[in-house]
Amino acid sequence: MNEFQLIDRYFKSIHLSDPSIILGIGDDAACVRVPPGHDLLISTDTLIADVHFSADWDPFDIAWKAVMVNLSDMAAMAALPRWMTLALTLPTLDSSWLERFSQGLQAALAQHKVHLIGGDTTRGTLSMTLTIHGICLTNQAITRSGAAVGDGIWVSGDLGGAAQALDWYRSNKQDFPLLKNKLHFPRPRLDLRTILQEFASAAIDISDGLAADIQHICESSQVGAILWEDHIPIHSLVCPSHPEKALAFALNGGDDYELCFTVANHHEYNLQNRLAEQGLSCYKIGEIEAQSGLRLRSTQGKVDNLPVKGYLHF
Ligand code: ADP
Ligand code: MG
């Protein structure tokens, strides 16, 4: 099998027709039509073996996670994901690996009605770069820079589960299967899209850890923040007998892919109603302040600066 047969067999077959796609896989470039009155949002993620996933994972899971992580960036902007490209680098042409990988890719894309429209296939160390293209109504994308003093800080679900799973995986703990889903199958919070559009002043997805990601909102918005320790939702399986360690996982552990967003106080009542209507739970964990930097108010009411220790590649 050569490169073109590989593309035909494993990737072109995923391609579904859609009125928005003028040209999909097979030409020098894909061509899509953005509906009138919309902006195009574009985001790229690279996943490298032994950095973002382990090469011994099921290739289905690798593809699944790569797609979901990429979609999470659209969720954070309150955008609707539409088209994806995939640049795949493979050490060898292993058809059983590619079969599982393309199954995972197809299943993940189908779940969110996203179309694979192109990519590139090369030989080298196992890695993949996915680029998602999404749409939102003109000027309606939610950015990191809109948080204002007094806004509440909200998170969309419990935290620390993925970091705990990784910790168990690395130390070969038999508990790992209990949290495997948190690490391998993150759920991009696209279900919050309309709620964010209506109420959020800023948003980010929690990929590097809550503290580091709130810090990004604060820097972009030129504000600071205080978090309330006893309001931070921690996954129930995260170090239940060591509350301090559990808090550290929730604040600094990456890979949860929940959303953190800010909401002006006058929207809070309507936000709560809309969440209840849609059967969703989000948690208010703190407040935006004028003073720069991040602070944590402990359960005892003591306020301390919060050191930020998110994941950094360099
Ligand atoms: P070119 O030589 O013009 O760069 P390629 O031979 O790399 O084109 O790719 C041929 C077609 O297959 C293009 O439409 C490209 O977008 C698509 N393609 C290549 N690799 C992938 C992949 N891994 N997933 C999806 N589409 C791919
Ligand atoms: Mg070409």
Side-chain angles (χ1 to χ4, degrees), residues 4 8 19 29 41 52 61 84 94 96 100 104 110 138 158 165 214 217 219 245 257 275 280 296 305 312:
F4 301 105
D8 277 356
L41 293 100
H52 301 93
D61 295 2
M84 185 173 283
D94 173 344
S96 59
R100 279 300 283 165
T138 308
D158 53 29
I214 290 184
I217 288 188
E219 281 166 8
K245 213 174 154 198
Y257 297 102
L275 287 169
L280 298 169
L296 182 70
N305 286 329
L312 294 172

Short mmCIF file of all heavy atoms in Angstrom, two decimals, residues 4 8 19 29 41 52 61 84 94 96 100 104 110 138 158 165 214 217 219 245 257 275 280 296 305 312:
data_model
loop_
_atom_site.label_atom_id
_atom_site.label_comp_id
_atom_site.label_asym_id
_atom_site.label_seq_id
_atom_site.Cartn_x
_atom_site.Cartn_y
_atom_site.Cartn_z
N PHE A 4 -1.03 7.08 -1.17
CA PHE A 4 -2.33 7.49 -1.73
C PHE A 4 -3.40 6.45 -1.45
O PHE A 4 -4.55 6.77 -1.14
CB PHE A 4 -2.21 7.80 -3.22
CG PHE A 4 -1.22 8.90 -3.47
CD1 PHE A 4 0.04 8.63 -3.98
CD2 PHE A 4 -1.53 10.21 -3.11
CE1 PHE A 4 0.96 9.65 -4.14
CE2 PHE A 4 -0.62 11.23 -3.28
CZ PHE A 4 0.64 10.95 -3.80
N ASP A 8 -6.81 6.92 0.70
CA ASP A 8 -8.12 6.49 0.18
C ASP A 8 -8.80 5.53 1.15
O ASP A 8 -9.97 5.65 1.44
CB ASP A 8 -7.94 5.75 -1.15
CG ASP A 8 -7.85 6.74 -2.30
OD1 ASP A 8 -8.00 7.95 -2.04
OD2 ASP A 8 -7.61 6.29 -3.44
N PRO A 19 -23.43 19.92 2.23
CA PRO A 19 -23.56 21.07 1.32
C PRO A 19 -22.48 22.14 1.53
O PRO A 19 -22.17 22.89 0.61
CB PRO A 19 -24.94 21.64 1.64
CG PRO A 19 -25.63 20.64 2.49
CD PRO A 19 -24.64 19.68 3.03
N ALA A 29 -6.22 21.51 -2.16
CA ALA A 29 -6.76 22.18 -0.97
C ALA A 29 -8.24 21.85 -0.85
O ALA A 29 -8.90 21.58 -1.85
CB ALA A 29 -6.56 23.70 -1.08
N LEU A 41 -13.67 30.20 12.78
CA LEU A 41 -12.69 30.07 13.87
C LEU A 41 -11.81 28.87 13.58
O LEU A 41 -12.32 27.82 13.16
CB LEU A 41 -13.42 29.87 15.20
CG LEU A 41 -14.19 31.12 15.61
CD1 LEU A 41 -15.65 30.97 15.29
CD2 LEU A 41 -13.98 31.41 17.07
N HIS A 52 1.70 13.51 24.81
CA HIS A 52 0.25 13.71 24.98
C HIS A 52 -0.52 12.40 25.13
O HIS A 52 -1.67 12.40 25.54
CB HIS A 52 -0.32 14.48 23.81
CG HIS A 52 0.31 15.82 23.64
ND1 HIS A 52 1.38 16.03 22.82
CD2 HIS A 52 0.03 17.01 24.22
CE1 HIS A 52 1.73 17.29 22.88
NE2 HIS A 52 0.94 17.92 23.72
N ASP A 61 -8.47 5.02 20.77
CA ASP A 61 -8.49 6.01 21.86
C ASP A 61 -7.62 7.22 21.52
O ASP A 61 -7.94 8.36 21.90
CB ASP A 61 -7.99 5.39 23.17
CG ASP A 61 -8.91 4.29 23.69
OD1 ASP A 61 -9.91 3.98 23.02
OD2 ASP A 61 -8.60 3.73 24.77
N MET A 84 -12.54 19.44 9.76
CA MET A 84 -11.24 19.15 10.38
C MET A 84 -10.23 18.71 9.33
O MET A 84 -10.58 18.05 8.35
CB MET A 84 -11.40 18.05 11.43
CG MET A 84 -10.11 17.78 12.17
SD MET A 84 -10.36 16.64 13.53
CE MET A 84 -11.10 17.71 14.74
N ASP A 94 1.30 0.47 9.40
CA ASP A 94 0.78 -0.67 10.14
C ASP A 94 -0.75 -0.66 9.93
O ASP A 94 -1.46 0.16 10.49
CB ASP A 94 1.16 -0.47 11.62
CG ASP A 94 0.55 -1.51 12.55
OD1 ASP A 94 -0.41 -2.20 12.14
OD2 ASP A 94 1.03 -1.60 13.70
N SER A 96 -3.24 -2.63 10.80
CA SER A 96 -4.19 -2.84 11.90
C SER A 96 -4.25 -1.60 12.80
O SER A 96 -5.30 -1.22 13.30
CB SER A 96 -3.89 -4.12 12.68
OG SER A 96 -2.61 -4.05 13.22
N ARG A 100 -7.78 0.75 13.33
CA ARG A 100 -8.33 1.18 14.64
C ARG A 100 -8.35 2.71 14.74
O ARG A 100 -9.28 3.31 15.24
CB ARG A 100 -7.48 0.63 15.81
CG ARG A 100 -7.73 -0.79 16.22
CD ARG A 100 -9.13 -1.04 16.67
NE ARG A 100 -9.44 -0.58 18.04
CZ ARG A 100 -10.68 -0.45 18.50
NH1 ARG A 100 -11.71 -0.73 17.73
NH2 ARG A 100 -10.89 -0.03 19.73
N GLY A 104 -11.61 5.15 15.26
CA GLY A 104 -11.75 6.12 16.35
C GLY A 104 -12.01 7.52 15.82
O GLY A 104 -12.85 8.26 16.33
N ALA A 110 -18.09 11.72 13.87
CA ALA A 110 -19.53 11.51 13.67
C ALA A 110 -20.31 12.01 14.88
O ALA A 110 -21.37 12.62 14.74
CB ALA A 110 -19.82 10.04 13.41
N THR A 138 -21.37 36.32 13.47
CA THR A 138 -20.39 37.40 13.39
C THR A 138 -20.22 38.11 14.74
O THR A 138 -21.21 38.48 15.38
CB THR A 138 -20.83 38.42 12.32
OG1 THR A 138 -21.09 37.69 11.13
CG2 THR A 138 -19.77 39.46 12.06
N ASP A 158 -16.54 18.64 37.43
CA ASP A 158 -15.53 18.37 38.45
C ASP A 158 -14.14 18.20 37.84
O ASP A 158 -13.97 17.88 36.67
CB ASP A 158 -15.92 17.22 39.38
CG ASP A 158 -16.28 15.96 38.63
OD1 ASP A 158 -15.73 15.76 37.53
OD2 ASP A 158 -17.11 15.19 39.14
N ALA A 165 -5.96 10.09 37.11
CA ALA A 165 -5.86 8.91 36.23
C ALA A 165 -4.42 8.76 35.73
O ALA A 165 -3.86 7.66 35.74
CB ALA A 165 -6.82 9.05 35.05
N ILE A 214 -7.13 29.97 34.32
CA ILE A 214 -7.74 31.22 34.80
C ILE A 214 -6.74 32.36 34.66
O ILE A 214 -7.09 33.49 34.31
CB ILE A 214 -8.18 31.10 36.28
CG1 ILE A 214 -9.37 30.16 36.38
CG2 ILE A 214 -8.55 32.47 36.86
CD1 ILE A 214 -9.96 30.04 37.75
N ILE A 217 -7.06 33.89 31.35
CA ILE A 217 -8.20 34.82 31.26
C ILE A 217 -7.81 36.15 31.92
O ILE A 217 -8.05 37.23 31.37
CB ILE A 217 -9.46 34.23 31.94
CG1 ILE A 217 -10.03 33.10 31.09
CG2 ILE A 217 -10.51 35.32 32.19
CD1 ILE A 217 -11.39 32.57 31.57
N GLU A 219 -4.85 37.51 32.47
CA GLU A 219 -3.87 38.29 31.71
C GLU A 219 -4.51 38.93 30.49
O GLU A 219 -4.30 40.12 30.22
CB GLU A 219 -2.68 37.40 31.31
CG GLU A 219 -1.73 37.22 32.48
CD GLU A 219 -0.72 36.10 32.28
OE1 GLU A 219 -0.64 35.54 31.17
OE2 GLU A 219 -0.01 35.77 33.26
N LYS A 245 -3.94 17.24 48.72
CA LYS A 245 -3.43 16.69 47.47
C LYS A 245 -4.53 16.76 46.40
O LYS A 245 -4.27 17.09 45.24
CB LYS A 245 -3.00 15.23 47.69
CG LYS A 245 -1.82 14.82 46.84
CD LYS A 245 -1.35 13.42 47.21
CE LYS A 245 -0.66 12.78 46.01
NZ LYS A 245 -0.55 11.35 46.11
N TYR A 257 -10.47 19.26 30.39
CA TYR A 257 -11.29 19.77 29.29
C TYR A 257 -12.70 20.20 29.69
O TYR A 257 -13.61 20.18 28.87
CB TYR A 257 -11.29 18.80 28.09
CG TYR A 257 -9.89 18.67 27.57
CD1 TYR A 257 -9.12 17.56 27.88
CD2 TYR A 257 -9.29 19.72 26.87
CE1 TYR A 257 -7.80 17.48 27.48
CE2 TYR A 257 -7.98 19.65 26.47
CZ TYR A 257 -7.24 18.53 26.78
OH TYR A 257 -5.92 18.46 26.39
N LEU A 275 -29.32 26.69 32.99
CA LEU A 275 -28.60 25.45 33.27
C LEU A 275 -29.57 24.37 33.74
O LEU A 275 -29.53 23.23 33.28
CB LEU A 275 -27.52 25.68 34.34
CG LEU A 275 -26.28 26.47 33.89
CD1 LEU A 275 -25.43 26.85 35.09
CD2 LEU A 275 -25.45 25.67 32.89
N LEU A 280 -28.00 20.81 33.16
CA LEU A 280 -26.55 20.93 33.28
C LEU A 280 -26.18 21.50 34.65
O LEU A 280 -26.96 22.25 35.24
CB LEU A 280 -26.01 21.87 32.19
CG LEU A 280 -26.24 21.41 30.75
CD1 LEU A 280 -25.92 22.54 29.77
CD2 LEU A 280 -25.40 20.18 30.44
N LEU A 296 -6.29 32.46 46.57
CA LEU A 296 -7.17 31.37 47.01
C LEU A 296 -7.65 31.70 48.42
O LEU A 296 -6.85 31.99 49.31
CB LEU A 296 -6.40 30.04 47.02
CG LEU A 296 -7.23 28.82 47.42
CD1 LEU A 296 -8.24 28.45 46.34
CD2 LEU A 296 -6.31 27.62 47.70
N ASN A 305 -1.83 34.15 48.10
CA ASN A 305 -1.53 34.10 46.67
C ASN A 305 -1.47 32.65 46.23
O ASN A 305 -1.01 31.78 46.98
CB ASN A 305 -0.19 34.77 46.37
CG ASN A 305 -0.32 36.28 46.47
OD1 ASN A 305 -1.38 36.84 46.20
ND2 ASN A 305 0.76 36.93 46.89
N LEU A 312 3.78 23.12 31.24
CA LEU A 312 4.49 23.92 30.26
C LEU A 312 5.40 22.99 29.45
O LEU A 312 6.09 22.15 30.01
CB LEU A 312 5.37 24.99 30.94
CG LEU A 312 4.64 26.10 31.72
CD1 LEU A 312 5.64 26.94 32.48
CD2 LEU A 312 3.85 26.98 30.75
#
